Amino acid sequence: MESTLIDDVSRINFLDNLKESTPGETEFHQAVQEVHESVAPVIERHVEYRKHKILERIVEPERIISFRVTWIDDNGVPQVNRGYRVQMNSAIGPYKGGLRFHPSVNQSILKFLGFEQIFKNALTSLPLGGGKGGSNFDPKGKSDGEVMRFCQNFMLELSKHIGHRIDIPAGDIGVGGREIGYMYGMYRKIENQFSGVLTGKGVKWGGSLIRPEATGYGLVYFSQYILENINDSMEGKTCLVSGSGNVAQYAIEKIIELGGKVLTVSDSSGHIYDEAGIDADKLRFIQELKNERRGRIAEYAGEYDSAHYFETDRSLDHNPIWSHKADCALPCATQNELNGKDAQHLVDGGTILVGEGANMPCTPEAINILQNNGVIYAPGKASNAGGVATSGLEMAQNYSGSHWTSEEVDRRLQIIMRTIHDNCLHAAQKYSSGPDYMAGANIAGFLKVADSMIAQGVT
Ligand code: NDP
């Protein structure tokens, strides 16, 4: 009889082989290791996943496209950046995932994001494969004209590899409505067709209502469902939120709506602690500051007496935004922004829930500390899936030529987040001990994609 036990040696071998074959891709290794640990009990129980080498196949991108992007700055000087699209897995649908413009972008970061996207998209229950892309271009400090010329030249190359039934990119860090607009305009011109090839489009030209709000709203819906599961709610909860971009802004909006109190907000230069809480008026100030004037969050402290500003100190071994006391912590900025020390501060401060708005904001050590101390941890691939889910709803509207009301999209978003929540719990109960949302998300996402890969043969 064939053994159904994976011994420690073969587990270690898998990760060692991965590290050896993808040297230096630390973020990618981190993301794979987390999924690998969660799905180990599934693979132990079901020999078919080993027989079909699902793990070995799923970590290998179907395709990586890397290209030069050249553009002319406002001084007439040519500039060069590197563009990418990582087409990770299309077993359950066309590649889908955002584009990130940030100086830190490299192949490892995009592979980690694309890998996460496979499972996240599977969890949404929509037919979406996983992908991610972007560039090391930094939109910060660039004029609108420079951003437009960069986006147009980026799309000149990317357009050869995407399509509304092939690969449908969206936004991410550094790519908001402005950048999507410039890229969409160029795609339309090159291809001479008006198709739903990008999501996050403006509502007047094929976009969906609630798409900008969806990731932040979805995160808070998910957090609310977790709290309801322990007979609690967001009402009266104090919350720490990091970031001040798309995800953070709409998470704050929904927390306020549900009766919670948001104490912090941040950008890469520093963070604000507002003891009076961020209300709707203060949120409008943040939105005008970040989305229109593209200023720094430090300005908030000059505007409101109840606020204190703490400048980022990169020599610290922790992130001081997580040293404040609060019931909930929602990291909405970037990967690895909450480490073991930060997790311990949250535990000591009595935090009961950490919900990831960003992708992989908690380090593995932080997750261990949170879970070992009874803090409920909601992994980004489940809790921030509302964005890509609503992108899926935008695609559905584009395919059918329809336009749904805000209420309709929001209703569907809530159903999707509820379904993800319940599926995570169900998978966790079946394969691990207790309500472990991380195990549940990884297992539920893995099963759908793995079974689809097996059904479609070795491709
Ligand atoms: P934005 O570009 O709109 O905002 C990003 C925010 O995070 C800004 O406040 C930015 O500050 C801050 N930030 C970025 N990098 C760093 C860093 N290295 N250190 C500290 N702060 C940083 O991006 P989004 O809000 O769209 O994305 C935020 C996170 O959410 C990302 O992890 C993204 O992958 C994830 N996500 C986004 C989705 C979406 O629909 N947009 C969907 C699912 C996940 P500054 O202005 O100084 O750069």
Side-chain angles (χ1 to χ4, degrees):
M1 200 181 91
E2 202 166 352
S3 164
T4 55
L5 284 178
I6 317 176
D7 53 30
D8 284 346
V9 177
S10 62
R11 277 192 209 175
I12 292 164
N13 276 349
F14 168 76
L15 288 170
D16 278 350
N17 291 343
L18 179 81
K19 287 177 187 170
E20 212 176 288
S21 65
T22 55
E25 297 188 350
T26 51
E27 295 84 0
F28 178 54
H29 303 156
Q30 183 182 334
V32 173
Q33 185 156 354
E34 182 204 291
V35 171
H36 184 240
E37 279 168 15
S38 293
V39 302
V42 180
I43 292 178
E44 265 172 18
R45 255 195 245 176
H46 301 281
V47 67
E48 64 269 25
Y49 299 129
R50 276 178 286 140
K51 200 173 101 190
H52 290 274
K53 291 211 183 287
I54 295 299
L55 274 181
E56 289 80 355
R57 285 159 61 194
I58 213 166
V59 296
E60 198 61 43
E62 290 178 10
R63 194 173 297 105
I64 298 181
I65 301 135
S66 162
F67 50 94
R68 181 177 68 195
V69 185
T70 46
W71 54 284
I72 306 285
D73 72 16
D74 285 347
N75 299 317
V77 179
Q79 299 289 337
V80 187
N81 286 97
R82 188 170 298 154
Y84 300 91
R85 188 70 183 164
V86 178
Q87 297 179 330
M88 206 74 198
N89 192 297
S90 59
I92 64 165
Y95 309 105
K96 179 95 196 90
L99 296 169
R100 177 177 291 192
F101 292 169
H102 193 271
S104 65
V105 163
N106 58 34
Q107 189 165 296
S108 169
I109 288 186
L110 296 179
K111 279 177 71 179
F112 119 63
L113 290 164
F115 185 71
E116 292 277 296
Q117 201 80 43
I118 301 172
F119 307 97
K120 180 189 310 195
N121 293 3
L123 285 171
T124 64
S125 63
L126 300 172
L128 303 170
K132 200 82 188 186
S135 171
N136 60 355
F137 173 76
D138 187 0
K140 237 180 279 165
K142 305 285 192 303
S143 69
D144 277 353
E146 289 176 324
V147 171
M148 183 176 75
R149 290 193 291 281
F150 172 80
C151 288
Q152 291 177 335
N153 285 290
F154 181 83
M155 184 50 86
L156 205 53
E157 186 61 33
L158 186 71
S159 61
K160 298 172 190 163
H161 310 285
I162 61 175
H164 73 295
R165 302 270 185 197
I166 303 168
D167 184 351
I168 305 97
D172 191 79
I173 291 179
V175 178
R178 173 182 63 169
E179 290 76 16
I180 292 287
Y182 292 150
M183 285 189 276
Y184 189 74
M186 194 61 177
Y187 184 86
R188 190 174 47 74
K189 186 177 166 84
I190 295 166
E191 298 294 328
N192 196 27
Q193 60 167 273
F194 198 98
S195 73
V197 71
L198 297 177
T199 57
K201 300 185 291 297
V203 175
K204 292 177 183 160
W205 40 278
S208 174
L209 290 163
I210 304 293
R211 175 59 188 91
E213 294 87 343
T215 309
Y217 278 17
L219 167 65
V220 181
Y221 291 144
F222 196 83
S223 305
Q224 174 84 342
Y225 300 146
I226 289 177
L227 292 169
E228 281 174 12
N229 197 47
I230 54 166
N231 299 317
D232 206 338
S233 80
M234 208 30 108
E235 171 97 47
K237 293 281 176 300
T238 50
C239 300
L240 306 176
V241 173
S242 66
S244 51
N246 172 269
V247 180
Q249 290 174 18
Y250 290 106
I252 294 172
E253 186 170 292
K254 191 51 78 178
I255 293 169
I256 298 171
E257 205 182 300
L258 294 182
K261 181 176 176 184
V262 180
L263 299 171
T264 61
V265 67
S266 71
D267 62 19
S268 53
S269 311
H271 82 268
I272 295 289
Y273 179 79
D274 185 342
E275 58 199 354
I278 298 170
D279 60 18
D281 283 341
K282 292 170 177 174
L283 177 60
R284 263 191 295 280
F285 172 83
I286 294 170
Q287 290 178 318
E288 191 266 334
L289 171 71
K290 296 310 272 187
N291 308 348
E292 284 159 43
R293 287 194 284 124
R294 299 187 189 273
R296 308 309 297 159
I297 202 66
E299 275 191 47
Y300 182 107
E303 197 71 16
Y304 302 104
D305 290 343
S306 53
H308 305 270
Y309 177 65
F310 301 83
E311 200 171 303
T312 301
D313 177 354
R314 298 201 192 279
S315 69
L316 293 178
D317 61 358
H318 67 285
N319 183 348
I321 194 169
W322 310 121
S323 302
H324 305 289
K325 268 173 89 107
D327 301 312
C328 305
L330 306 181
C332 297
T334 193
Q335 64 273 1
N336 293 329
E337 57 166 311
L338 196 162
N339 67 17
K341 275 219 157 74
D342 300 318
Q344 193 58 54
H345 287 144
L346 292 174
V347 168
D348 296 343
T351 297
I352 57 169
L353 166 68
V354 173
E356 294 186 331
N359 286 309
M360 209 169 74
C362 296
T363 63
E365 194 194 356
I367 298 169
N368 269 333
I369 292 173
L370 295 172
Q371 291 191 323
N372 290 338
N373 285 280
V375 178
I376 305 173
Y377 163 72
K381 61 171 71 71
S383 52
N384 73 31
V388 72
T390 308
S391 278
L393 301 180
E394 180 174 332
M395 288 162 63
Q397 292 170 80
N398 290 163
Y399 289 149
S400 61
S402 52
H403 189 65
W404 300 336
T405 62
S406 296
E407 292 73 23
E408 175 62 14
V409 181
D410 196 27
R411 189 183 67 81
R412 289 178 189 246
L413 171 62
Q414 290 181 49
I415 292 171
I416 290 171
M417 297 313 294
R418 167 75 74 186
T419 306
I420 297 173
H421 172 271
D422 294 352
N423 288 346
C424 287
L425 273 190
H426 181 71
Q429 271 151 10
K430 190 163 175 199
Y431 288 100
S432 85
S433 52
D436 177 346
Y437 286 91
M438 179 173 77
N442 286 330
I443 292 168
F446 175 83
L447 287 173
K448 182 170 178 183
V449 180
D451 291 343
S452 306
M453 288 172 73
I454 291 174
Q456 294 173 34
V458 180
T459 57

